[in-house]
Amino acid sequence: MGLKEVLKPLGAWRQIAKRPHTILVPKVSREAAERYRGFHVNDLEKCIGCGTCAAVCPNEAIDMVPVEGIEPKKGDSGFRPRIDYGRCCWCGLCVDSCPTTSLRMTNEYIWVRETPDDFVYIPGYHIKGFEKKEKGYRKDKEHSFTDYHRVPMRELPPEERVETFAEVVLGYAEEEARREADRCVGCGLCIAGCPDRMHIPDYIRAIASGEYARSVNIMYENNPFAELCGKVCTRRCESYCSLGHEGDPVAIRWLKRFATERFSDLKQVIKVKKAEPKDKSVGIIGAGPGGLTAAYYLALRGYKVTVYEAMPEAGGMTMAGIPKYRFPFPSLKKQVDFILSQGVELKLNYFVDQERFRELMKKHHAIYIGVGLMKPWTLGVPGEDHPNVIYAIDFLRKINFKEPVEVGKEVVVIGGGDVAMDAARVSRRLGAEVTIAYRRRKVDMPADHEEIEGAEEEGVRIWEKIIPIRVEDAPEGKVKLVYGKAKMVDQGPGKRPKPVLIEGEEYELVVDRIIVAIGQQADLSFLPPEIAEKMEVERGRIKVNHRQMTSVEGIFAGGDVANRVADAISAIADGLRAVKGIELYFQGKMD
Amino acid sequence: MEILDKLKEKFEILQSQEKREDLALVGTTEKDLIPLLVYLKEYEGYKTLVMISCVDWIEEGKFELVYNLWNPSKKHNILVKTKIPREAPKFQTIYKIWPQAEAYEREIHEMFGVDFEGNPTQHEELILEDWDDIPPMRRDFDTLKYSMEKFGEREPKSGIIIRKQISEQYDEWRRK
Amino acid sequence: MSKEEVRLFIGPQHPGVTGNMSVEVLLKGDTITWAKTHIGYLHRGFEKLMERRIYIKSFPLVCRICVPEPDTNEENFARGLEELAGIEIPERAKWIRTLVLELSRLQMFIMWYGGIAGSMGLSTPVQWGIGDRDYILDLFEELTGGRIYHIYIMPGGVRKDLPEGFEERVLKLMDIIEQRLPEYDEIIMENAVVQKRLKGLAKIPRDWVDEMGITGPVARACGFPYDVRKDHPYEAYPYLDFDVITEDGCDAWAMLLVRRREIDLSINLIRQIIEKMPKGEFLARLPNVLYWKIPPGETYVKSEATRGEFGYYMVSDGSDKPRRVHVNGPSFVHGITLLERLLVGQNIADVAPIMVSLQTCPPEMER
C-alpha cells in the first residue's frame, strides 16, 4: 500500500467528461418494455364476468361488481372486475388466467391523481386514457394456466359404425375424464344455459378430484336421468362455457356420462332422503323423461305416484325416438329401474283415452301430462300418401322396438333436425344409400353439429336448399320425389334467411323410401271435451304457468307437449318444476 | 442407502426415505433424536446443521421437529424428524452441539411455543414484540381474525361480490 | 454491563445495503464488547401467508422474501413444488431459469460491490453500482415484465419465452459491464481506504464454518469450496463449465475478493448459457392451478444465492395449500449467530462494513 492506492481512486474524476447515464424526467419519458405489467385494461364486450381473475388474485384486489349498462344474460354474469390498485401487486396472474383474454395489462406505469378513490376502478368502464395502448403484458394462450384443448373423445371408426347399432361414442377413460374435468375454472356461467340448472361446476370438480359417487349424487339432486343426459343431451351449457370463447368448452356432457357409467347399481351410490308418506296421489300420463322426473321427486317427497305409459317400455321419446347407437337400452333400463325403486308405480301398455282420463281425474289429486309429441308433421305436397313415404318418428319407433322395417337401397330423408340425422344414420346402418334434403343451408340446420359430422363421416350425403314439390309413383316399387331448388332471401339483421323456391325448375329423384323428418306435433285428442275446452292451447302446445300448471286446476303439463325447446333436459326441468308446483298446489299455496 | 441402513441398526427409526440422490429423510423417536444427531455429526460427517424447522400436525395433536443436516464431504442432506406432543410441547436444546441452533430454537419457541429446555435465550423476543396471542405459526391461529380484532375491519366497500357469490347472484337473476 | 460501557443501538435503518435490522452493542470506548441482533422490523409473515393460500398465489409472494434477488426464491419454490407434484420441466426452461438466476446474481453483486464501498463512506461506487444494475433491470423488464419482482419462474417452467434478439442484448451488456469493471476496481480495490479497513477485518475462525453452517461467499472466503451450484447442481448448472472460487484470507477483504471474482464468473456463465441454450418448449402443461392439489410429501430444495445457501423446506398434506413452507436463508445464521460473535472486539465504525460483508438480509431472517 502506498501513494498509488491513494491516487488511483481519483481516476473517478474521468467520468465528469462522459455522458450521464440518467435521463431527465419528466422532460424525457421512458417507455416501458413490450411485456411490462402496468395498469389493466379490460375489453368489456369480450369480458363475461366469470370471476376467474378475482379467484386467482393473491391480494383480493379484484372484486366483481355490477356495471351500469351491462345486463346479465346467458353466458354473461353482468359483473365486471374492479381493481383496487392499493392492493394490486402487478403479478399478472389475472391476465394469465382470463379465459376470454379480455383482461390484459398495458405498459403504462405512471398515473397520478389526488384522491385515493381514483385508484379503485373498473378497467374498461372507467376510462383512464391508456385503453388504446397496444404494448403491455398479454396472455399467451398456449402458455397460460388455461387449458383450451378438450381431451378428444374416442369413437368407433365410421366404417365400423355403419355395420352395427353399437354405441358410437366410447367414453372417457378415468385419466382422460379427470384431465378434462380439471380444465373447468368453476365460474358457473354454464348453469344459466342448463334448463334444469344442474350444479355443473360442483360435479365436474368432484370428477376432477376423483369423487365419482359424490359427483353422481350432486347430479341426482335435480336430474334422475343424468346418464341419459350424459349421452344425448343437447348440452346448451357447453355453449356458455367460459373456455369456449377462445378454445374448446369443457365436455360437460361426456363427463356426466363418464361419472354415471361407472356405477352399474345406482341404489348403492345415490343417497336418497325420503320424506314421510303423504295421503295425496298424483297420476302421470307418459313415462318420458319429464314424467318420470316428476314421478321420482314426488315419490321422494312422499306422494303416491302412478305413471301411465301407452308403449310397452318406459322412456318415452328417449326409448322410441333416440337410436340405440346413441342411447343403449340397458342404460335407460338402469335409470328407469332406479326411479321405480323409489316407490313409483308404472302401468305399461296403458293408453289413456278420454274415458280413462276421466277415471284418472277421479282417482288422483293431481295429474301431470307429459305425453310428448307423437304425431308427425306432414310435407303437405301432393302424393304424400304414397306407401313408400314414411315418417321418421314412426320409423325410429319401429326400429327401437325391433319391428320389421324395409328401407330399400336408396333413401332420401327430408329435414335438418336431430331426428332427420337419426333417421339417416339408422338407414345407413340398415344398408341404404342415404341423402338428406334440407330446405335451408347446412349451417342453418338445427341438428347438433356433431351429429351432422357423424352422419357425413358415415357416408350420408347432405343436399342443401331443396324444396319438395310433389311425390310420384315410380316403377319397380320405387318412389319419385319431384323437388325444386331454393334461394336464400335475406330477412334483415338478426333473422334467419328464408328459403324461397326458384320457380320454373323441377328436378327428380327416384328412391326406395322417402323419410319425412320435419317435426312432430302434439296429439291432444285424449282430453275429454269438458277439459279440452277449458285448457288453453297456444300454437299446438299446452299453455302452462311458471309452476307448470295448465289453465285447468290440478292438471300440470310439461315436456315437449308444453315447451317449445323439445329436448330431454327441458322436459326433465319441467318435471322438476312441476313437482314444486304440485306440492304448492296441495298445500294451497300456489302463487 | 448406506447411511439409512446404519442408522436403522443403531436407532429406532420410525420412517426413512431416500428422497433424492442428495437428500434422505429419517423419522425417529423423541428419545433417540439427539443421540442420532450427535452420531451423525461425530461419526458420519454430517457436520453442519442447516436449519431446524417445525411443522404443526394439528389433527394428530403433534408438532414435528425437523433437523436438517449437511455432510460437506459427501454433499448429502439428511432431514431428521421427530414428533412431540402439541400440548405443553417441550424438547431438549442442541445449542451446545451447534451454536446456531440457539437462534432457530428461539424462533420455534416464539412461533410455535415449543419449550427448548436449556436454551438460555429462547424467551427473548426474536421478531414479535409484545405478542398477546397464541404463537402465530400454529395452524389454529387465524391471521385474518387476529387482524380484524386488533386493527378493525377493512373499510367496507359497497357492492363487493366475491366469486363464490357470483353464481348465487347470477342464479337469482335467472329465477326472475 | 459495567460502568465503563455504553449501550448503543445501530439501526434499524440501513447501514449500507443490508436492510432494516438493528444491532444492539455494548461499547467500551470504541470497542464492542457484546452484540445482539434485533430483527422484526419487516416481519410480513410470509410462511404463515403461504399456508393460507393456494400454491399459485404464493408466487407473487415468495419473490418478496428477498428484494434485491427475488429469483432464487421463485426458482426454489417452483422446483420444490415440481418435485412434490412430480412435474418434469422442459429443457429450455431450465436454461432460461439459469440465465435469470445468473443475471440476478450479477446485478446483486454489482450493487453489493458499490455497497461495500458505501459502508465505508465512499459514496461514488454506490451510485455507480445502482446505476449499472439498472441496465440489468432493463433486461429483466424486457424479459419478465417487471423490474424488481419478476414473478417469472413458475412451476412447469418460465412464464414467457425470451423476446426476439434478447440474447444479443444480454451479450452486449456483458461487454459493457466488463469494460466498466476496471473503473470500479480502480476506486474500490485499489483504494487505500478500502484496503486498510477491510484487510484483517472480521476474521472468521475456520472451524466456525462447518459448525455454524456458514455458506456462500463467506465460507468460500475461508477456503471452503462450498457452492450449491457445484455441490448439488440444479437447473442447467451441471452443463456449465466453472470452478468454485475460493480465497484464503478468512477476512472481509477475502470476501470482497470472492465477490469481485464472482462477478467475472457470472458474466462468464451468462455467456456460456446463451451459447448453449437449446430451443424448444419452455412451459409444461400444469393442472388447473385454481384447484391444484399437491400429493402429500415433503422436500428440501436449495440453491446458491449471492449470500449463500438458500433452502426451502416444503411439506404438503395433499390439499391445495401447503402445510408448511420453511424458508431458510443464509442470513439467519450469518446475521444472528455469526454476526453477534464476530462483532465482539471490533471497532464501532466497522459494524457497517462487517454487516455488508456478511451481506445480512433481514427479510429472509424473519420470513
Side-chain angles (χ1 to χ4, degrees):
Chain A
M1 222 184 303
L3 191 62
K4 194 170 136 245
E5 275 78 16
V6 177
L7 293 177
K8 266 267 175 169
L10 298 176
W13 283 101
R14 281 200 299 273
Q15 302 289 333
I16 206 158
K18 291 187 182 166
R19 235 182 74 223
H21 291 242
T22 47
I23 55 168
L24 289 167
V25 178
K27 276 187 194 159
V28 185
S29 66
R30 180 187 175 281
E31 166 125 61
E34 178 79 40
R35 284 178 190 171
Y36 192 78
R37 297 191 301 264
F39 284 97
H40 297 77
V41 286
N42 192 10
D43 184 347
L44 289 192
E45 296 297 310
K46 228 170 152 191
C47 180
I48 51 169
C50 66
T52 312
C53 48
V56 83
C57 182
N59 304 328
E60 292 177 9
I62 302 182
D63 294 317
M64 299 304 289
V65 292
V67 170
E68 211 178 305
I70 296 174
E71 291 301 316
K73 57 174 189 275
K74 281 188 179 176
D76 181 353
S77 72
F79 298 115
R80 292 294 179 267
R82 183 183 66 189
I83 302 178
D84 180 350
Y85 285 98
R87 302 189 131 235
C88 177
C89 75
W90 319 91
C91 60
L93 290 183
C94 47
V95 175
D96 267 1
S97 56
C98 178
T100 62
T101 67
S102 73
L103 191 68
R104 64 179 183 88
M105 285 166 139
T106 62
N107 69 341
E108 192 63 61
Y109 57 96
I110 297 178
W111 197 61
V112 186
R113 283 296 178 280
E114 278 178 1
T115 43
D117 286 351
D118 283 352
F119 290 87
V120 182
Y121 65 80
I122 303 164
Y125 180 71
H126 295 125
I127 301 300
K128 298 293 177 188
F130 31 70
E131 282 73 13
K132 294 254 160 19
K133 282 254 175 182
E134 278 305 308
K135 283 184 176 177
Y137 191 81
R138 277 168 196 270
K139 177 173 185 171
D140 170 1
K141 270 168 60 184
E142 294 308 311
H143 299 100
S144 67
F145 304 143
T146 329
D147 188 352
Y148 286 111
H149 303 289
R150 175 181 286 199
V151 178
M153 172 56 85
R154 287 172 291 119
E155 290 181 351
L156 279 182
E159 316 79 79
E160 270 179 49
R161 277 189 232 161
V162 293
E163 304 287 323
T164 157
F165 273 82
E167 231 183 326
V168 170
V169 171
L170 298 174
Y172 281 135
E174 184 170 359
E175 183 272 334
E176 288 173 324
R178 289 186 68 166
R179 188 146 50 89
E180 177 65 22
D182 195 43
R183 291 173 56 215
C184 175
V185 295
C187 62
L189 292 184
C190 45
I191 304 175
C194 178
D196 195 35
R197 283 184 209 139
M198 295 188 72
H199 309 308
I200 298 164
D202 298 350
Y203 67 71
I204 295 224
R205 186 43 49 197
I207 293 171
S209 48
E211 303 160 79
Y212 308 121
R214 191 166 76 83
S215 170
V216 176
N217 269 301
I218 296 172
M219 292 174 199
Y220 264 73
E221 276 172 23
N222 50 1
N223 184 352
F225 279 104
E227 187 167 333
L228 164 81
C229 289
K231 288 176 194 282
V232 298
C233 185
T234 43
R235 59 187 163 86
R236 263 163 288 167
C237 49
E238 290 182 23
S239 52
Y240 301 115
C241 179
S242 57
L243 295 181
H245 292 261
E246 293 287 321
D248 307 328
V250 176
I252 301 172
R253 176 173 61 170
W254 299 144
L255 289 171
K256 190 152 55 209
R257 173 200 164 102
F258 163 80
T260 47
E261 272 191 341
R262 289 184 69 85
F263 304 105
S264 53
D265 189 1
L266 291 170
K267 270 185 241 172
Q268 289 176 359
V269 184
I270 292 151
K271 298 178 190 75
V272 287
K273 259 194 282 177
K274 267 184 112 169
E276 288 287 298
K278 299 190 180 72
D279 57 353
K280 303 264 186 195
S281 81
V282 183
I284 290 172
I285 305 171
L292 286 175
T293 302
Y296 174 74
Y297 292 108
L298 284 168
L300 290 188
R301 282 168 162 78
Y303 298 105
K304 275 174 75 175
V305 188
T306 315
V307 183
Y308 304 94
E309 171 58 53
M311 288 192 291
E313 286 290 349
M317 207 48 114
T318 58
M319 172 66 213
I322 299 178
K324 295 305 159 203
Y325 65 84
R326 282 174 63 198
F327 185 42
F329 182 64
S331 162
L332 174 65
K333 184 118 179 66
K334 167 178 135 188
Q335 297 173 75
V336 171
D337 284 351
F338 175 70
I339 292 171
L340 297 181
S341 73
Q342 302 305 318
V344 175
E345 192 186 347
L346 174 68
K347 288 200 169 145
L348 292 172
N349 297 314
Y350 191 97
F351 182 78
V352 177
D353 54 16
Q354 296 191 358
E355 201 47 50
R356 280 179 165 171
F357 194 88
R358 289 198 189 97
E359 277 174 35
L360 299 185
M361 288 283 285
K362 281 184 209 124
K363 199 173 156 196
H364 297 293
H365 300 93
I367 301 252
Y368 178 84
I369 301 173
V371 293
L373 309 173
M374 294 305 271
K375 205 162 100 184
W377 284 110
T378 55
L379 285 171
V381 297
E384 202 186 337
D385 49 359
H386 191 280
N388 286 10
V389 178
I390 53 175
Y391 293 96
I393 191 71
D394 300 329
F395 170 65
L396 291 171
R397 184 178 61 229
K398 283 181 184 162
I399 295 283
N400 283 341
F401 282 105
K402 299 202 164 49
E403 290 171 32
V405 196
E406 190 62 47
V407 286
K409 290 216 159 25
E410 272 184 85
V411 172
V412 62
V413 177
I414 299 172
D418 281 325
V419 176
M421 296 302 144
D422 289 345
R425 294 176 73 176
V426 167
S427 306
R428 207 57 204 110
R429 281 166 173 74
L430 296 175
E433 289 294 317
V434 184
T435 309
I436 292 176
Y438 182 50
R439 62 194 181 119
R440 295 171 199 261
R441 292 162 304 176
K442 200 160 92 181
V443 289
D444 300 320
M445 282 189 171
D448 192 322
H449 67 93
E450 283 184 10
E451 287 295 312
I452 300 173
E453 282 159 22
E456 283 189 308
E457 279 168 17
E458 289 166 16
V460 172
R461 287 185 300 269
I462 296 181
W463 288 1
E464 304 176 313
K465 297 189 272 190
I466 303 286
I467 295 187
I469 298 174
R470 63 182 175 276
V471 177
E472 288 174 10
D473 195 24
E476 296 169 21
K478 290 179 184 251
V479 64
K480 186 200 281 176
L481 174 71
V482 180
Y483 64 91
K485 293 207 169 162
K487 59 172 187 275
M488 305 305 290
V489 179
D490 198 27
Q491 298 290 298
K495 287 185 186 153
R496 283 213 295 182
K498 194 175 150 189
V500 174
L501 182 69
I502 303 170
E503 296 288 342
E505 288 179 43
E506 277 190 9
Y507 304 86
E508 289 178 357
L509 178 68
V510 178
V511 291
D512 290 304
R513 287 285 184 283
I514 298 174
I515 301 179
V516 181
I518 55 170
Q520 297 87 259
Q521 53 180 319
D523 181 2
L524 300 174
S525 59
F526 65 92
L527 290 174
E530 67 272 17
I531 302 287
E533 68 185 23
K534 277 194 283 177
M535 190 170 288
E536 274 183 64
V537 177
E538 203 177 51
R539 290 198 292 149
R541 306 282 207 274
I542 298 174
K543 207 178 156 196
V544 292
N545 68 5
H546 67 290
R547 298 282 185 205
Q548 297 299 121
M549 190 157 85
T550 64
S551 44
V552 185
E553 282 239 327
I555 298 183
F556 294 76
D560 296 0
V561 77
N563 72 39
R564 262 166 216 291
V565 197
D567 59 8
I569 187 69
S570 28
I572 292 165
D574 284 354
L576 187 61
R577 240 191 322 269
V579 171
K580 186 79 190 153
I582 290 168
E583 198 168 34
L584 289 172
Y585 169 70
F586 285 159
Q587 294 164 351
K589 290 184 201 155
M590 192 59 149
D591 46 3
Chain B
M1 180 123 214
E2 201 189 336
I3 180 78
L4 292 181
D5 295 336
K6 273 193 202 166
L7 290 178
K8 271 180 205 162
E9 277 171 32
K10 292 189 164 55
F11 301 98
E12 196 183 342
I13 301 297
L14 304 173
Q15 173 199 3
S16 70
Q17 196 185 356
E18 203 190 327
K19 277 266 159 198
R20 282 193 308 252
E21 223 172 272
D22 56 359
L23 179 67
L25 194 147
V26 163
T28 184
T29 58
E30 231 180 299
K31 183 167 62 63
D32 273 9
L33 184 92
I34 289 174
L36 199 152
L37 293 178
V38 173
Y39 170 78
L40 283 174
K41 184 185 181 192
E42 300 298 330
Y43 300 100
E44 296 295 340
Y46 289 82
K47 282 194 252 172
T48 306
L49 173 73
V50 180
M51 62 162 206
I52 307 175
S53 185
C54 182
V55 187
D56 186 357
W57 296 99
I58 187 167
E59 300 86 356
E60 291 173 45
K62 300 264 182 188
F63 281 130
E64 187 172 45
L65 294 175
V66 184
Y67 293 78
N68 186 348
L69 304 188
W70 188 54
N71 185 331
S73 53
K74 285 192 185 152
K75 313 292 182 199
H76 187 259
N77 272 84
I78 192 161
L79 297 172
V80 185
K81 314 192 298 175
T82 190
K83 284 190 177 171
I84 60 170
R86 209 168 169 279
E87 276 303 306
K90 60 169 194 251
F91 201 68
Q92 279 96 46
T93 177
I94 55 162
Y95 93 98
K96 284 189 175 148
I97 314 172
W98 284 288
Q100 75 269 34
E102 189 181 334
Y104 280 108
E105 285 171 358
R106 195 170 141 202
E107 189 193 24
I108 292 170
H109 177 78
E110 183 167 87
M111 292 298 172
F112 290 89
V114 179
D115 184 19
F116 288 93
E117 287 169 356
N119 185 320
T121 55
Q122 62 165 328
H123 292 285
E124 289 175 25
E125 288 155 342
L126 182 72
I127 293 167
L128 307 168
E129 262 174 42
D130 302 327
W131 186 250
D132 52 4
D133 211 312
I134 59 168
M137 282 298 282
R138 291 191 179 189
R139 295 284 289 190
D140 48 357
F141 174 75
D142 187 343
T143 46
L144 190 64
K145 192 167 144 263
Y146 178 81
S147 135
M148 295 260 206
E149 281 167 9
K150 193 106 178 159
F151 306 108
E153 251 173 86
R154 196 178 142 203
E155 203 176 311
K157 296 195 272 179
S158 58
I160 298 180
I161 286 121
I162 55 170
R163 181 134 180 271
K164 59 185 167 217
Q165 291 172 334
I166 287 186
S167 48
E168 287 165 21
Q169 297 244 350
Y170 193 29
D171 209 50
E172 228 161 71
W173 162 76
R174 280 191 306 252
R175 280 196 207 100
K176 279 176 197 162
Chain C
M1 187 177 158
S2 67
K3 272 187 188 163
E4 299 152 24
E5 284 173 329
V6 176
R7 185 183 298 270
L8 185 71
F9 279 82
I10 303 171
Q13 56 275 71
H14 297 213
V17 289
T18 57
N20 304 80
M21 61 184 273
S22 142
V23 186
E24 180 190 359
V25 291
L26 286 185
L27 289 172
K28 200 171 197 174
D30 269 356
T31 313
I32 296 166
T33 55
W34 175 88
K36 185 144 195 85
T37 305
H38 291 287
I39 55 175
Y41 301 96
L42 292 165
H43 188 60
R44 287 166 285 182
F46 293 105
E47 289 175 357
K48 185 75 183 175
L49 282 171
M50 278 190 247
E51 286 175 16
R52 295 174 55 88
R53 48 178 74 195
I54 57 174
Y55 284 93
I56 197 73
K57 288 188 183 181
S58 291
F59 275 88
L61 190 67
V62 286
C63 55
R64 286 167 165 83
I65 291 178
C66 181
V67 186
E69 202 191 356
D71 303 287
T72 324
N73 290 284
E74 288 177 17
E75 194 269 340
N76 259 330
F77 192 63
R79 190 147 48 90
L81 200 52
E82 281 150 12
E83 203 182 303
L84 286 174
I87 294 175
E88 272 295 317
I89 70 164
E91 203 59 25
R92 184 177 172 80
K94 292 185 183 172
W95 285 83
I96 299 181
R97 281 182 180 187
T98 319
L99 176 65
V100 170
L101 288 175
E102 279 307 322
L103 278 172
S104 176
R105 287 170 66 80
L106 180 62
Q107 57 94 4
M108 179 72 187
F109 277 130
I110 289 180
M111 189 164 81
W112 181 90
Y113 199 26
I116 184 74
S119 70
M120 289 172 285
L122 308 169
S123 52
T124 306
V126 187
Q127 315 300 334
W128 288 10
I130 301 261
D132 283 331
R133 168 179 180 252
D134 244 48
Y135 291 115
I136 302 175
L137 297 190
D138 284 349
L139 287 180
F140 275 131
E141 179 184 330
E142 198 188 332
L143 175 65
T144 68
R147 291 178 73 82
I148 304 289
Y149 296 128
H150 309 141
I151 319 174
Y152 179 65
I153 296 172
M154 284 275 157
V158 293
R159 238 164 141 184
K160 298 249 166 179
D161 204 354
L162 299 184
E164 214 165 295
F166 186 72
E167 290 96 330
E168 285 82 64
R169 289 192 285 279
V170 173
L171 291 177
K172 208 172 139 206
L173 183 67
M174 290 308 116
D175 293 341
I176 294 174
I177 289 175
E178 220 167 34
Q179 283 166 20
R180 284 278 289 153
L181 283 172
E183 297 178 6
Y184 277 84
D185 295 344
E186 199 176 68
I187 61 169
I188 301 173
M189 303 287 271
E190 297 174 32
N191 190 332
V193 176
V194 176
Q195 290 193 10
K196 238 184 142 53
R197 287 193 62 181
L198 291 189
K199 279 184 183 165
L201 179 72
K203 196 101 176 148
I204 298 173
R206 269 170 201 271
D207 53 350
W208 282 12
V209 173
D210 277 343
E211 201 184 309
M212 279 193 199
I214 294 166
T215 52
V218 183
R220 293 201 284 278
C222 302
F224 291 86
Y226 295 165
D227 190 329
V228 184
R229 292 177 294 176
K230 202 87 188 168
D231 297 345
H232 304 265
Y234 52 98
E235 306 297 355
Y237 284 113
Y239 315 111
L240 297 176
D241 177 29
F242 67 101
D243 291 319
V244 177
I245 294 164
T246 50
E247 289 287 338
D248 270 339
C250 301
D251 58 359
W253 177 251
M255 292 175 209
L256 173 65
L257 287 176
V258 168
R259 288 188 171 108
R260 173 64 187 83
R261 287 172 61 194
E262 286 279 355
I263 295 179
D264 293 340
L265 176 62
S266 279
I267 293 175
N268 177 2
L269 286 177
I270 288 167
R271 287 191 175 132
Q272 283 189 42
I273 292 164
I274 288 194
E275 189 191 318
K276 293 180 185 169
M277 186 178 301
K279 288 262 173 288
E281 193 51 56
F282 55 90
L283 185 63
R285 196 21 88 209
L286 293 179
N288 192 336
V289 292
L290 285 171
Y291 304 96
W292 194 9
K293 287 187 179 158
I294 303 294
E298 60 199 290
T299 188
Y300 178 74
V301 287
K302 57 179 177 178
S303 63
E304 183 76 13
T306 48
R307 299 170 300 283
E309 174 188 318
F310 215 104
Y312 268 62
Y313 173 61
M314 295 168 67
V315 185
S316 167
D317 53 6
S319 72
D320 55 353
K321 301 180 182 82
R323 167 65 60 155
R324 175 93 165 97
V325 180
H326 182 113
V327 185
N328 187 43
S331 298
F332 197 84
V333 171
H334 294 182
I336 300 174
T337 318
L338 179 60
L339 183 68
E340 281 174 4
R341 284 163 176 73
L342 216 49
L343 284 182
V344 175
Q346 303 287 355
N347 192 301
I348 174 77
D350 286 332
V351 173
I354 290 174
M355 283 171 75
V356 177
S357 289
L358 299 180
Q359 221 176 341
T360 57
C361 181
E364 64 195 41
M365 295 184 225
E366 47 183 85
R367 301 87 44 201

